Amino acid sequence: MSLVELIARADARGLAASGLACLDRCVPLLDGDDEALRPLWALLADDADDACGAAGRDWAEGLAQVRDKLAGPDAGGEDEAVVLARRMLEAAPAACTGPALRTWADACSVASLRIHRLLDPAGDAAREADVPRDGGTEGLPPLVAAELRRQTGVLELLADRGVAGLRPALEVSTEGRRVLRAVVSRRARGRA
């Protein structure tokens, strides 16, 4: 199944995990530490019946705390990759159900792929083009292709294993965050 199809079929937990995983991989752009989103991941794992905590209240509170922790300066002087990462965080719905959650997960997918395209050192002249999400990785720069595989992998883990897929989904996201942190670090050294 394509990434677009997986998002269309995902349940609330899958959508929340998908959006959260995209944001988690981009935390290095927000100067966040590796544990910044851990409370939200824990909410998805703790309550087997309700994907986001007691009636979503826990999710809304956790989200507010994460936003405070990752609050940065005014986005006026930031580059496009940082602005896209901030928008992912700002757009996260307070209610962890319904159409807003699907819209957020889909927007996070697009934004994360765009970020990876902007940061890919092997990127081509088509940096402005959207990454196709309904096919394979052929012809994509390495960083972008890996992000597409990670997004698909997270959704497949949740679809196949339910709540038991969260730990391996978090591992996939952690690996991607390490890769992006290295890219961001190299990029900062190159600008210095």
Side-chain angles (χ1 to χ4, degrees):
M1 247 187 284
S2 73
L3 179 55
V4 172
E5 292 169 323
L6 287 166
I7 291 172
R9 293 181 182 201
D11 64 6
R13 187 183 321 277
L15 293 170
S18 176
L20 194 55
C22 288
L23 181 58
D24 199 1
R25 287 188 294 277
C26 295
V27 160
L29 291 166
L30 302 176
D31 294 326
D33 65 42
D34 289 350
E35 301 297 315
L37 299 178
R38 191 66 83 152
L40 294 177
W41 281 106
L43 286 173
L44 295 180
D46 281 350
D47 195 349
D49 295 329
D50 182 358
C52 302
R57 226 177 16 259
D58 297 339
W59 173 266
E61 290 170 8
L63 186 57
Q65 291 170 3
V66 167
R67 283 181 176 141
D68 286 345
K69 185 185 281 189
L70 295 177
D74 183 20
E78 295 176 336
D79 69 21
E80 185 180 355
V82 175
V83 170
L84 288 167
R86 289 210 184 285
R87 284 184 191 155
M88 274 194 273
L89 178 58
E90 291 165 8
C96 192
T97 58
L101 188 59
R102 190 170 310 281
T103 300
W104 178 64
D106 191 60
C108 286
S109 170
V110 171
S112 185
L113 287 165
R114 175 96 179 111
I115 287 167
H116 283 75
R117 177 166 271 187
L118 289 167
L119 298 178
D120 197 316
D124 56 13
R127 287 180 182 255
E128 298 301 317
D130 285 337
V131 175
R133 298 180 306 145
D134 53 358
T137 60
E138 189 175 331
L140 294 175
L143 193 64
V144 177
E147 173 60 9
L148 186 60
R149 284 190 296 272
R150 284 186 191 100
Q151 287 188 27
T152 301
V154 164
L155 284 160
E156 287 172 344
L157 284 165
L158 273 291
D160 293 345
R161 300 185 194 177
V163 72
L166 281 170
R167 182 173 297 282
L170 180 57
E171 290 168 4
V172 166
S173 188
T174 299
E175 173 201 358
R177 185 179 347 102
R178 286 184 190 128
V179 169
L180 197 66
R181 191 172 298 284
V183 169
V184 168
S185 178
R186 264 193 312 267
R187 185 178 182 222
R189 283 193 307 268
R191 289 180 172 180

